[in-house]
Amino acid sequence: MKSIKILIVILLFVGKSFSQSTKIETNRGIHYITNNIEYPITGTYTFKGTEPVVELNDGGVGYYQLHEQPKRAIIWGMECDEAGEPIFIKGFDSAAYTLWYQYTTKLDSDDETNWTAVEFTIHFNTLKMFIKGERSKNYN
C-alpha cells in the first residue's frame, strides 16, 4: 500500500514537470501559453525574404518588427490549455495556432505592454510556417 502511494506521488510530480504552460493576463482574459509544440517553430520569419521580421528564439524570447518600425524584444508563446497542450485547428494540409507576444521594450511614442494575439499557421504541403499570413519560414 505504501509503495502505491509513493508511485502516485512520483507520477503526479513527473506529470507536473512535463506540463509547461505559463498563465498570462490579456485584454481578452486569462490564457495559457507554451513554447513547445511538435514542430520546429523557432527561427526567423521574413516578409517576402526581407524586413520586417519576427524572430522566435528558444526560451520564449525573440523580436517582433512591425512594418516601418524597428525590431523590438518580445516574450512569446503558443496558446495552450492549462496542462500545456497546444490549442490548434487542424485543416486538410495545415494547422492554425494562436501566437501570443508581449513587447519587453517600449518605444518613446507608446507604452504598449499588452499581450497581442496573431495567427500562426503551418502548411504541411509546402513545408512553410506563417505569422499573420505574411511572414514565413521554411521547415523540414
Side-chain angles (χ1 to χ4, degrees), residues 20-126:
Q20 298 177 353
S21 70
T22 301
K23 182 179 177 179
I24 61 171
E25 283 190 53
T26 75
N27 55 2
R28 296 186 198 172
I30 301 294
H31 292 269
Y32 295 90
I33 59 173
T34 183
N35 303 121
N36 298 315
I37 66 172
E38 62 183 274
Y39 298 98
I41 58 176
T42 57
T44 302
Y45 296 77
T46 61
F47 179 78
K48 298 180 182 178
T50 186
E51 290 189 348
V53 300
V54 175
E55 292 178 29
L56 302 181
N57 299 320
D58 290 330
V61 296
Y63 295 92
Y64 202 107
Q65 182 180 24
L66 297 174
H67 289 274
E68 300 180 14
Q69 297 289 322
K71 285 195 314 186
R72 293 174 63 189
I74 60 167
I75 51 177
W76 65 271
M78 297 297 195
E79 181 134 19
C80 66
D81 63 19
E82 194 171 353
E85 288 296 318
I87 298 171
F88 63 96
I89 298 171
K90 180 126 171 66
F92 174 71
D93 65 348
S94 65
Y97 295 79
T98 300
L99 169 68
W100 286 94
Y101 71 92
Q102 180 184 51
Y103 290 115
T104 58
T105 58
K106 295 181 182 181
L107 292 178
D108 292 338
S109 61
D110 75 10
D111 63 354
E112 183 176 326
T113 57
N114 294 324
W115 284 94
T116 303
V118 293
E119 182 181 56
F120 181 95
T121 57
I122 301 172
H123 299 266
F124 307 122
N125 288 341
T126 60

